Amino acid sequence: MPLTIIDHPRFTAAPTVGKLAISGRWEQAVTFRPSDLRRRDVEEFLGEHEEIACEAFFGSAFFGVRTHRPDAAEFVIAFARAMRSAASGSAFFEAVRDLGVDLEATFQFAELGAEGAWSSVGPLRIQDPCQALCDTDALWDEVRSSPVGRDLLHDKALEFTFSGGRFHWFALPVSDQHVMSRGRLEDALQAFCQ
């Protein structure tokens, strides 16, 4: 994995806000501040579910990880603790490694999606981001004709997804006031491919 994504300026400061979603249902996600998250709230939110995803927001950029395990509530509490105790982005990512997330894992794909409406709007998968960067005209045509590219109601992000240990992703913002930005999209691809 190109560790330059972790070193991207958007991930320098410590994360301030988080999100939780059960079984990939981001439209029903819960937002939390790390200092306010209580175990009983997490257990109530989870119910009998064992699959949960946590995201840490660095402004409009974010990092997420999915876990499927009987003690999912414990993982969420540890993730929030990592957010709360981190003085910087690098300190947060060190704590995430201690949770069993392999940040050097194998890259799987990139997806362009609508924040908070990933499933309902529909993402656009980019299998090879570096190849897409070689022909940005073709990529931009594909983006503009896609549901996510036409959506004007949500902020957009480009997620870089990895597997190995725990499924996780890094996302960079690629819109201005809910409108896709070709320049931001190209910058995000460049950040990944350098």
Side-chain angles (χ1 to χ4, degrees):
M1 163 184 145
L3 293 178
T4 54
I5 288 292
I6 292 176
D7 297 326
H8 191 281
R10 291 201 177 258
F11 295 111
T12 303
T16 57
V17 124
K19 272 190 178 180
L20 303 175
I22 294 172
S23 301
R25 296 191 304 256
W26 290 104
E27 283 81 354
Q28 292 89 39
V30 172
T31 302
F32 68 92
R33 295 226 176 264
S35 58
D36 298 337
L37 193 64
R38 297 178 309 199
R39 178 181 300 278
R40 74 171 177 215
D41 294 335
V42 173
E43 289 171 350
E44 185 177 304
F45 179 67
L46 271 169
E48 297 299 315
H49 296 278
E50 293 182 356
E51 181 185 319
I52 192 155
C54 307
E55 288 182 334
F57 280 77
F58 302 74
S60 53
F62 54 94
F63 167 80
V65 61
R66 178 172 290 130
T67 191
H68 185 93
R69 51 197 260 183
D71 62 342
E74 182 61 37
F75 181 82
V76 171
I77 295 301
F79 187 87
R81 187 179 314 115
M83 290 176 65
R84 185 174 56 246
S85 64
S88 66
S90 61
F92 168 73
F93 289 119
E94 278 305 311
V96 164
R97 280 185 174 99
D98 291 344
L99 295 177
V101 179
D102 178 6
L103 296 177
E104 288 77 30
T106 304
F107 171 74
Q108 296 296 305
F109 57 85
E111 262 187 356
L112 179 62
E115 171 55 29
W118 214 267
S119 295
S120 59
V121 171
L124 175 65
R125 184 158 297 189
I126 302 170
Q127 203 64 43
D128 186 342
C130 300
Q131 181 62 39
L133 191 57
C134 293
D135 189 356
T136 57
D137 288 338
L139 175 62
W140 187 243
D141 287 344
E142 186 177 5
V143 167
R144 288 187 328 178
S145 65
S146 70
V148 69
R150 293 189 310 265
D151 174 75
L152 300 176
L153 300 175
H154 305 90
D155 290 328
K156 313 302 180 302
L158 183 61
E159 282 186 2
F160 300 97
T161 303
F162 300 85
S163 67
R166 299 203 196 295
F167 191 75
H168 62 281
W169 55 93
F170 293 84
L172 296 173
V174 293
S175 61
D176 290 309
Q177 298 179 353
H178 308 315
V179 177
M180 278 297 307
S181 164
R182 182 175 180 165
R184 283 182 170 225
L185 177 61
E186 290 175 3
D187 288 348
L189 291 168
Q190 187 66 44
F192 178 78
C193 295
Q194 60 180 328

